[in-house]
Amino acid sequence: MQIRILKADEPSPSEITPEAVYVARRRLLCAGLSVPTLALPAGVGAAATAVQPVAEDSRTPQWLRERLKDRRLLGRPVSEDLTPFDAVTSYNNFYEFGTGKDDPAALGGGFVPYPWRVRVDGDVERPANYLLEDLLKGIALEERVYRLRCVEAWSMVIPWVGVPLSAVLKRFNPGSRAKYVAFETLHDPDRFPGQRSNLMRWPYVEGLRIDEAMHPLTLLAVGLYGRSLPAQNGAPLRLVVPWKYGFKSIKSIVRISLVANQPRTTWSSMAPSEYGFYANVNPDVDHPRWSQKRERRLPNGFFSQNWIETRLFNGYAEQVASMYRGLDLRKRY
Ligand SMILES: Nc1nc2c(c(=O)[nH]1)N[C@H]1C(S)=C(S)[C@@H](COP(=O)(O)O)O[C@H]1N2
Ligand SMILES: [Mo]
């Protein structure tokens, strides 16, 4: 594993590693993990954190196990506690496995996501189908802790493992017509029982403006808690856009297209009066049927729920607000 120097566009040191986590990490290191010690800039001394990896799935291929072991550790962008692995993997939205929160965990067990191919096309060099391992070749995996805020007003804090989407896109030299990036989930009703219903138009699709896609916070995740993505979290490849409502973070991606026009997206096309294309987290714009001022941070307590204030851009305003200077923040987009 490696420790990386934080760049200017990454979280400020003030947001980094509470001491307990740092101490836990020291313990982890003393327990035998070898980490090269690098000189870190002043104030970032305790920046790198490691989560204790959760046991890997026996079907995860060797190439991914190796890559996950080599993940780079970043400073924690959030100081809140991590949502426990059990909650992250048992309370999910993934309608391809059913609409209940526990359906994805219950029905995802048989889903084997390897080998996996992703089509990259549109205004790019070398449009083609790529094996996941080839798509990621040469791009360092990073561990990144992000808040995930669902439009339904619950949230989690998740240690993802992935690569910046920008690093993948840059390999394809997007042309000047590439103004948006469109994403598609696998459409395979044999493997996704939810797709046997016509609840929505399959496959699930999502999109970003090109500057959002190239933003350093935007991640293509292949793992969480130091292991490969469980099926219910979007194995083997999903988007994570931490300043937007969770539905933008499309799961089980098989196609990435660089396109000229704003692509259709699943939720904004199903209910345009409730969900916009941008879907930036905003406590001042309520959903027509509920308030967005607060969110329920999972896991629930035994007798209580943990309600906290929702923050503009999910707390990432410092990093992303400049992309939306022209937008009126009192409106839904
Ligand atoms: N393909 C697909 N992607 C999806 C969804 C879905 O139903 N299908 N649900 C979205 C919603 S509403 C949320 S909140 C997040 C949930 O991610 P998680 O289950 O890993 O917490 O996934 C998003 N990505
Ligand atoms: Mo969501």
Side-chain angles (χ1 to χ4, degrees), residues 209 211-212 243-244 278 280 313 320-329:
R209 211 169 59 189
D211 58 333
E212 300 176 320
W243 70 95
K244 292 175 180 286
Y278 286 95
N280 294 318
F313 297 114
V320 304
S322 64
M323 290 192 289
Y324 307 104
R325 282 218 179 93
L327 297 191
D328 180 348
L329 290 175

Side-chain angles (χ1 to χ4, degrees), residues 88 91-96 148 150 154 156 158 160 185 204 232-233 238 246-247 249-251 267:
V88 171
Y91 187 95
N92 301 97
N93 274 336
F94 197 177
Y95 283 15
E96 284 80 348
L148 177 79
C150 178
W154 52 264
M156 307 198 195
I158 303 176
W160 302 103
T185 294
Y204 192 103
Q232 58 267 41
N233 297 95
R238 61 96 49 90
F247 66 82
S249 294
I250 181 174
K251 297 177 170 180
W267 282 101

Side-chain angles (χ1 to χ4, degrees), residues 279-328:
N280 294 318
V281 174
N282 187 344
D284 297 325
V285 178
D286 288 340
H287 187 279
R289 290 179 280 130
W290 59 84
S291 165
Q292 296 291 26
K293 290 221 174 314
R294 297 190 309 153
E295 65 200 48
R296 183 167 50 91
R297 176 59 55 80
L298 294 170
N300 289 330
F302 209 69
F303 298 107
S304 62
Q305 297 187 334
N306 180 24
W307 285 91
I308 59 175
E309 303 278 309
T310 289
R311 294 155 73 189
L312 183 61
F313 297 114
N314 203 23
Y316 300 97
E318 203 180 309
Q319 291 98 321
V320 304
S322 64
M323 290 192 289
Y324 307 104
R325 282 218 179 93
L327 297 191
D328 180 348

Side-chain angles (χ1 to χ4, degrees), residues 143-269:
E143 181 161 282
R144 297 204 187 184
V145 177
Y146 286 159
R147 288 178 286 269
L148 177 79
R149 203 306 191 166
C150 178
V151 74
E152 298 165 335
W154 52 264
S155 67
M156 307 198 195
V157 179
I158 303 176
W160 302 103
V161 184
V163 298
L165 173 61
S166 65
V168 172
L169 296 182
K170 278 176 192 159
R171 309 181 86 173
F172 292 90
N173 261 325
S176 58
R177 276 163 301 139
K179 300 276 196 277
Y180 293 87
V181 185
F183 303 88
E184 248 178 65
T185 294
L186 172 70
H187 188 199
D188 185 349
D190 291 335
R191 298 163 79 192
F192 283 144
Q195 291 179 338
R196 293 170 212 160
S197 89
N198 53 15
L199 176 80
M200 54 170 68
R201 177 171 154 196
W202 310 105
Y204 192 103
V205 289
E206 256 306 336
L208 296 172
R209 211 169 59 189
I210 191 77
D211 58 333
E212 300 176 320
M214 300 303 281
H215 192 281
L217 285 179
T218 304
L219 200 68
L220 271 178
V222 294
L224 52 77
Y225 271 97
R227 54 151 285 172
S228 64
L229 280 178
Q232 58 267 41
N233 297 95
L237 184 72
R238 61 96 49 90
L239 188 64
V240 184
V241 197
W243 70 95
K244 292 175 180 286
Y245 289 118
F247 66 82
K248 297 295 293 182
S249 294
I250 181 174
K251 297 177 170 180
S252 303
I253 295 168
V254 290
R255 187 174 179 192
I256 301 176
S257 307
L258 285 281
V259 296
N261 299 311
Q262 183 176 305
R264 187 182 70 84
T265 61
T266 290
W267 282 101
S268 69
S269 65

Side-chain angles (χ1 to χ4, degrees), residues 30-202:
C30 296
L33 280 176
S34 73
V35 176
T37 41
L38 297 177
L40 290 168
V44 191
T49 68
V51 296
Q52 185 76 62
V54 167
E56 188 50 89
D57 188 290
S58 63
R59 296 162 304 184
T60 299
Q62 200 54 37
W63 71 264
L64 185 52
R65 293 166 182 261
E66 295 299 326
R67 299 277 339 247
L68 286 160
K69 261 190 257 162
D70 269 345
R71 70 194 193 279
R72 292 178 176 184
L73 313 175
L74 289 187
R76 295 187 64 190
V78 293
S79 54
E80 295 105 294
D81 290 340
L82 298 182
T83 303
F85 178 81
D86 287 347
V88 171
T89 56
S90 63
Y91 187 95
N92 301 97
N93 274 336
F94 197 177
Y95 283 15
E96 284 80 348
F97 286 120
T99 55
K101 291 286 181 278
D102 44 11
D103 288 341
L107 300 174
F111 185 81
V112 182
Y114 312 100
W116 189 265
R117 285 178 179 78
V118 182
R119 176 155 191 82
V120 182
D121 62 8
D123 190 11
V124 293
E125 287 172 6
R126 301 178 314 280
N129 288 305
Y130 293 89
L131 274 172
L132 180 58
E133 48 270 49
D134 296 333
L135 198 66
L136 302 177
K137 205 164 270 171
I139 306 174
L141 293 194
E142 300 175 9
E143 181 161 282
R144 297 204 187 184
V145 177
Y146 286 159
R147 288 178 286 269
L148 177 79
R149 203 306 191 166
C150 178
V151 74
E152 298 165 335
W154 52 264
S155 67
M156 307 198 195
V157 179
I158 303 176
W160 302 103
V161 184
V163 298
L165 173 61
S166 65
V168 172
L169 296 182
K170 278 176 192 159
R171 309 181 86 173
F172 292 90
N173 261 325
S176 58
R177 276 163 301 139
K179 300 276 196 277
Y180 293 87
V181 185
F183 303 88
E184 248 178 65
T185 294
L186 172 70
H187 188 199
D188 185 349
D190 291 335
R191 298 163 79 192
F192 283 144
Q195 291 179 338
R196 293 170 212 160
S197 89
N198 53 15
L199 176 80
M200 54 170 68
R201 177 171 154 196
W202 310 105

